[in-house]
Amino acid sequence: MLWSAPPLACLLRLIDEDASMSVMRRWLGRDVMPLKGITGMSTRIVPLYLVLSALLTVLAWVAPAHAADVAEESVILVAKREMSGPLYGSTVLIAKHLGNDYHLGFIINRPTSIRLAELFPEHGPSQKVPDPIYLGGPFNTEMIFTLVKRRDSPGGHSVQVTQDLFLAVDAETVDHIIEVESDHARFFVGLVAWQRGELGDEVKRGLWYVLKPEADLVLRKSSESLWEELVTKCERLSKGI
């Protein structure tokens, strides 16, 4: 690596400054609205690819967080019924602990009406991916990210999310997944970023149920009833049923 990693707080500020709520709203209208204006595959990844690469360097020396539940490497978050709003109401997320109580994550039940074929009409393998792109969150919505189920890293600057789930962030790796293993992958625009301690605070405030992550759950083909299924399960568990 030819450059040194900036402090983690600076990296997360970079993500936040790059966020565009107006772009997000073009993906997520009443339910979902298509985004216009993404014209080439080379525009998808670069800024956050640098950020996540630096995060991997930071993880080598940051102290682990000690917040209950969300201090695990990754968790599934299920929005409680009381949480409202067009973006996070009735959502299910996969969240990864980055160290020192920072987290990144993706909403896994917000499919858009757009497919890769529409964004990249010149790219043959994209035409063969039938699944929609998902809205992962409000930050970096001009980029495509991939969660892929496999036992080892797909390469590049990929980040391990669970034992058998990896996040691909650089263009070459995402392209390779599109070409050869899209049947066990999900493609997202945008992500969710929590500053230090924010997710733990949200859990303490009672906004989320927290579950252990499962790759098959994250990549379930139909997410239409996923939230209702999980929130009902969590409510029963909380009542000891």
Side-chain angles (χ1 to χ4, degrees):
M1 187 174 292
L2 301 178
W3 46 274
S4 59
L8 186 60
C10 294
L11 294 173
L12 291 176
R13 278 200 298 272
L14 173 60
I15 295 174
D16 185 66
E17 288 167 2
D18 194 50
S20 171
M21 294 302 289
S22 62
V23 174
M24 182 200 75
R25 291 188 187 101
R26 278 183 272 172
W27 284 100
L28 193 69
R30 185 175 178 181
D31 278 316
V32 172
M33 293 291 288
L35 174 70
K36 304 298 182 183
I38 295 182
T39 56
M41 302 191 71
S42 63
T43 65
R44 300 177 309 192
I45 297 300
V46 177
L48 200 65
Y49 142 66
L50 295 177
V51 172
L52 288 178
S53 298
L55 286 176
L56 295 180
T57 301
V58 173
L59 289 179
W61 55 265
V62 293
H66 296 289
D69 296 325
V70 295
E72 298 294 332
E73 272 293 296
S74 297
V75 293
I76 291 289
L77 301 172
V78 182
K80 294 190 177 182
R81 295 187 191 275
E82 296 79 9
M83 187 184 293
S84 60
L87 182 58
Y88 294 113
S90 304
T91 55
V92 181
L93 284 74
I94 176 79
K96 178 171 176 59
H97 174 233
L98 299 175
N100 215 23
D101 221 3
Y102 292 92
H103 295 79
L104 288 178
F106 295 89
I107 302 170
I108 64 173
N109 66 327
R110 283 283 188 266
T112 75
S113 60
I114 299 296
R115 288 170 169 73
L116 289 172
E118 297 174 61
L119 293 184
F120 312 117
E122 306 292 324
H123 187 238
S126 293
Q127 311 302 306
K128 301 177 183 178
V129 180
D131 297 325
I133 296 171
Y134 279 67
L135 178 64
F139 299 147
N140 293 91
T141 51
E142 75 283 7
M143 301 175 191
I144 298 289
F145 306 99
T146 304
L147 287 173
V148 59
K149 182 181 180 180
R150 51 183 298 153
R151 298 189 177 208
D152 56 356
S153 172
H157 298 270
S158 299
V159 178
Q160 187 167 14
V161 179
T162 70
Q163 184 176 2
D164 57 350
L165 191 68
F166 287 83
L167 168 63
V169 297
D170 54 289
E172 184 176 349
T173 305
V174 172
D175 288 347
H176 181 74
I177 293 170
I178 293 173
E179 291 164 3
V180 302
E181 49 186 329
S182 63
D183 59 331
H184 47 275
R186 176 157 291 172
F187 302 94
F188 297 86
V189 290
L191 53 75
V192 181
W194 288 270
Q195 295 284 348
R196 185 175 184 177
E198 283 185 335
L199 180 54
D201 181 62
E202 289 177 5
V203 173
K204 289 177 183 177
R205 287 162 51 202
L207 300 180
W208 304 102
Y209 291 111
V210 180
L211 299 173
K212 291 186 177 297
E214 298 177 16
D216 289 340
L217 182 68
V218 174
L219 303 179
R220 183 185 291 189
K221 288 297 182 182
S222 175
S223 62
E224 183 177 357
S225 61
L226 181 61
W227 176 77
E228 185 62 40
E229 173 188 327
L230 291 181
V231 77
T232 300
K233 173 184 175 181
C234 291
E235 288 169 343
R236 289 176 176 173
L237 287 174
S238 67
K239 296 175 182 177
I241 301 177

